[in-house]
Amino acid sequence: MIFGSGQRHIRADIVIVGAGFAGIGMAIALDRAGRHDYVILEKAAEIGGTWRENTYPGCACDIRSLLYSFSFEPKRDWSRQFPMQPEILEYLRHCVDRYGLADRIEFGAEATSMAYDEAAGRWTVRLADGRSLDCRALVTAMGPLHQPNIPAIPGDESFAGPRFHSAQWDHGVDLAGKRVSVIGTGASAIQIVPQVAKVAGHVTVFQRTPPWVLPKPDRPITGRLHRLFRTVPGFQRAYRWLIYWEAEATIVTFTRPRLAGLGERMGRAFIARQIPDRALRAKVTPNYRMGCKRVLLANDYYPALTRANVDLVTEGVTGITPDGVVAADGGKYPADVIVYSTGFHVTDAFAHADITGAGGRRIADVWRDGPEAYLGATVAGFPNLFVLLGPNTGLGHNSMIFMIESEVHYVTRCLDLIDARGPLAVSGQAQLRYNADLQRRLAGSVWNAGGCASWYLDANGVNRAIWPGSTVRYWWLTRRLRARDYAPVPAGAAGAGAAESAIARPATREVAR
Ligand SMILES: Cc1cc2nc3c(=O)[nH]c(=O)nc-3n(C[C@H](O)[C@H](O)[C@H](O)COP(=O)(O)OP(=O)(O)OC[C@H]3O[C@@H](n4cnc5c(N)ncnc54)[C@H](O)[C@@H]3O)c2cc1C
């Protein structure tokens, strides 16, 4: 308990918002850097973020367990190559215990507004229950895929049965024998459908765009491998490196779309192997370049679609009635339960965030035309603010934990600079330069030019989600801090003028390295 009984306001040097992989990784990095004056705010009653929220049947990672974990905290006894949700959550609980974080986390603490006070050079964080904190540096670790995106479908309120999003699975609903409609065929849906099809009476899957799906080389990790991890020095580290480079090598197929052809051949062969029916094959075969949307791994999705109790509907959903779903061709599909497997708010995730920087500028307004940051972490006009897994840090080919580790290291370097120079914000020019280069790199990539609409792109068609290249490059850029890219924002600088100088006139204020 961080707030003592009756205490309404506390001070801390650093506040971290969110106790998922990123918030936990940040806290460990701070302790390692000798910074112990921090608190973690978590709105839920438990740590884990993604791996606490997503408890749908079949929920699993599509990165191998040895890589989807912190490099400094290897787990020697992962049960599978690709871990299921409960095992990842257990791993995160272990990290919290091992690094003594439990009493640094305030649960049930939802940060509802975060405002920078220029006179004091500090952030004030207000919680939903009226409590507040102030701190020198604020780190948001609120999750890139955290806010469920449920499309407004005409008539949805009238549906008589249970309906829920994949990230808010209602385990109180017994699906045995029921008619279940699954809307969406993305990463969660392809894990849900095979599991639900085993118990439901009938499953109707509504597909807007088929995903590219490849075989998942998943299997239990044997006792022999566990023994080698335990007994042979360096073996587990070498194994992790192998997996890392195996994933990293695939980046060329994303940055050079013409190389995606090899994967597409594998994808088509996989469809041919798993789906005998020609009409169904045609329905599930994508007509865009592999990688344009997230490439999915599953051995049981296509077989599930061939089951007698599963139908795939490719006409868009146009309405919901009390007893079913209506498709664009007028077809009516009776349903007892609807599962929205419709993804998350990504490029607009901060649209409702009440974060106010220097000069009273709200991040939602600054990012109205799309979120932009520097290294996905710092934002011009928002001194001493760090956004973990911010804009353009998402990956289509490797582990997000690698990005988190690189980024939290970078934040510790920024904090050193703040110690030395006082409040800092990335200069507007550095942020502009950085994003111009980033968008140039994305321009010819499969994410932008692969011929699909995806959640990587914002409403204006600009890619705000993906890191455009190798993770080695991100590691390299975040290893050292370019102090000249940061402008001091002196405490006491008043009003909008200070914000403008941080954003528009950086050259006069930049700190030379
Ligand atoms: C179903 C699913 C599968 C995925 N699979 C993979 C995969 O295979 N490989 C991969 O690399 N990545 C995967 N991801 C991405 C995954 O989100 C990241 O890998 C990683 O877990 C993100 O960690 P995080 O801490 O940034 O965010 P989260 O895990 O989302 O944690 C954010 C935390 O912040 C808290 N929070 C949010 N707002 C507030 C607030 N205002 N006040 C207080 N607390 C708040 C939340 O309650 C949550 O606990 C997947 C995501 C999903 C949803």
Side-chain angles (χ1 to χ4, degrees), residues 16-24 41-44 46-54 56 59-63 68 88 92 106 109-112 114 127 141-147 166-167 187-188 191 294 344 388-389 395 398-401 404:
I16 302 168
V17 184
F21 255 110
I24 290 168
L41 303 175
E42 171 52 60
K43 66 179 177 180
E46 156 79 301
I47 59 127
T50 290
W51 306 104
R52 175 196 71 234
E53 302 280 287
N54 291 269
Y56 60 75
C59 182
C61 191
D62 59 13
I63 295 289
Y68 196 77
I88 304 173
L92 278 171
E106 183 75 9
E110 180 176 3
T112 48
M114 296 156 247
L127 307 186
M142 302 191 298
L145 303 178
H146 177 64
Q147 297 167 36
S166 55
S188 300
Q191 295 179 340
R294 191 171 178 86
F344 298 86
L388 297 186
L389 297 188
L395 300 177
N398 212 329
S399 170
M400 291 304 291
I401 312 308
I404 289 172

Side-chain angles (χ1 to χ4, degrees), residues 150-212:
I150 303 180
I153 301 172
D156 52 1
E157 290 294 331
S158 72
F159 186 65
R163 57 193 173 95
F164 45 85
H165 187 272
S166 55
Q168 298 163 332
W169 198 267
D170 186 344
H171 291 277
V173 177
D174 181 8
L175 298 180
K178 299 268 168 50
R179 295 165 303 180
V180 182
S181 282
V182 178
I183 301 179
T185 53
S188 300
I190 70 148
Q191 295 179 340
I192 289 168
V193 169
Q195 302 306 317
V196 170
K198 287 180 195 164
V199 295
H202 191 88
V203 181
T204 311
V205 183
F206 292 89
Q207 168 190 286
R208 193 168 55 181
T209 317
W212 279 106

Side-chain angles (χ1 to χ4, degrees), residues 316-461:
V317 171
T318 53
I320 292 178
T321 60
D323 57 358
V325 177
V326 183
D329 63 351
K332 293 195 176 67
Y333 299 87
D336 304 310
V337 180
I338 296 177
V339 175
Y340 294 94
S341 200
T342 42
F344 298 86
H345 288 281
V346 180
T347 56
D348 58 344
F350 277 77
H352 305 293
D354 191 1
I355 301 179
T356 308
R361 295 159 75 106
R362 291 184 69 236
I363 207 158
D365 296 329
V366 173
W367 283 358
R368 179 153 292 145
D369 293 330
E372 260 186 18
Y374 176 81
L375 290 169
T378 53
V379 186
F382 291 79
N384 294 9
L385 173 71
F386 303 96
V387 186
L388 297 186
L389 297 188
N392 294 99
T393 52
L395 300 177
H397 75 291
N398 212 329
S399 170
M400 291 304 291
I401 312 308
F402 184 93
M403 299 298 274
I404 289 172
E405 284 194 41
S406 303
E407 198 173 0
V408 299
H409 166 78
Y410 184 75
V411 174
T412 62
R413 303 304 304 265
C414 291
L415 291 170
D416 292 343
L417 191 65
I418 291 169
D419 284 348
R421 312 269 167 94
L424 292 172
V426 66
S427 78
Q429 281 185 4
Q431 184 174 306
L432 279 176
R433 252 193 333 265
Y434 169 83
N435 279 282
D437 176 62
L438 185 135
Q439 292 301 336
R440 188 183 52 73
R441 286 170 190 274
L442 281 166
S445 73
V446 76
W447 304 295
N448 280 32
C452 75
S454 78
W455 55 260
Y456 302 152
L457 311 179
D458 69 11
N460 303 314

Side-chain angles (χ1 to χ4, degrees), residues 121-146:
R122 291 178 72 85
W123 283 89
T124 301
V125 180
R126 295 194 191 287
L127 307 186
D129 59 11
R131 295 178 295 171
S132 61
L133 302 88
D134 74 271
C135 57
R136 195 163 59 119
L138 175 64
V139 182
T140 67
M142 302 191 298
L145 303 178
H146 177 64

Side-chain angles (χ1 to χ4, degrees), residues 61-356:
C61 191
D62 59 13
I63 295 289
R64 290 175 195 262
S65 44
L66 267 84
L67 193 54
Y68 196 77
S69 43
F70 291 123
S71 60
F72 53 82
E73 188 54 36
K75 173 171 151 66
R76 311 245 178 255
D77 59 353
W78 286 108
S79 68
R80 307 194 63 79
Q81 286 287 347
F82 290 83
M84 304 288 294
Q85 169 265 333
E87 196 170 10
I88 304 173
L89 183 56
E90 209 39 60
Y91 171 77
L92 278 171
R93 288 187 185 127
H94 157 82
C95 291
V96 167
D97 281 353
R98 168 101 165 72
Y99 292 89
L101 302 182
D103 58 3
R104 319 302 292 276
I105 306 173
E106 183 75 9
F107 290 107
E110 180 176 3
T112 48
S113 89
M114 296 156 247
Y116 184 68
D117 175 345
E118 284 160 84
R122 291 178 72 85
W123 283 89
T124 301
V125 180
R126 295 194 191 287
L127 307 186
D129 59 11
R131 295 178 295 171
S132 61
L133 302 88
D134 74 271
C135 57
R136 195 163 59 119
L138 175 64
V139 182
T140 67
M142 302 191 298
L145 303 178
H146 177 64
Q147 297 167 36
N149 180 18
I150 303 180
I153 301 172
D156 52 1
E157 290 294 331
S158 72
F159 186 65
R163 57 193 173 95
F164 45 85
H165 187 272
S166 55
Q168 298 163 332
W169 198 267
D170 186 344
H171 291 277
V173 177
D174 181 8
L175 298 180
K178 299 268 168 50
R179 295 165 303 180
V180 182
S181 282
V182 178
I183 301 179
T185 53
S188 300
I190 70 148
Q191 295 179 340
I192 289 168
V193 169
Q195 302 306 317
V196 170
K198 287 180 195 164
V199 295
H202 191 88
V203 181
T204 311
V205 183
F206 292 89
Q207 168 190 286
R208 193 168 55 181
T209 317
W212 279 106
V213 181
L214 290 175
K216 189 170 192 173
D218 191 20
R219 57 183 181 276
I221 297 182
T222 59
R224 195 162 145 259
L225 206 49
H226 286 149
R227 255 193 316 283
L228 288 170
F229 291 153
R230 275 197 312 273
T231 55
V232 180
F235 182 77
Q236 184 161 358
R237 184 156 287 273
Y239 195 94
R240 181 180 161 105
W241 272 111
L242 204 69
I243 296 169
Y244 170 79
W245 285 110
E246 181 193 51
E248 195 63 1
T250 64
I251 187 64
V252 290
T253 67
F254 294 85
T255 52
R256 293 183 180 71
R258 63 180 189 285
L259 297 180
L262 179 66
E264 289 165 13
R265 274 204 294 282
M266 285 168 60
R268 282 197 202 90
F270 191 45
I271 292 170
R273 237 182 7 257
Q274 292 211 308
I275 302 183
D277 178 64
R278 275 172 172 254
L280 184 56
R281 276 188 203 171
K283 281 182 173 182
V284 300
T285 303
N287 64 356
Y288 57 87
R289 299 248 75 160
M290 181 179 276
C292 184
K293 283 171 174 287
R294 191 171 178 86
V295 181
L296 309 180
L297 305 179
N299 301 325
D300 51 0
Y301 176 62
Y302 290 146
L305 295 182
T306 68
R307 290 175 64 117
N309 68 336
V310 177
D311 280 331
L312 181 69
V313 176
T314 54
E315 284 76 28
V317 171
T318 53
I320 292 178
T321 60
D323 57 358
V325 177
V326 183
D329 63 351
K332 293 195 176 67
Y333 299 87
D336 304 310
V337 180
I338 296 177
V339 175
Y340 294 94
S341 200
T342 42
F344 298 86
H345 288 281
V346 180
T347 56
D348 58 344
F350 277 77
H352 305 293
D354 191 1
I355 301 179
T356 308

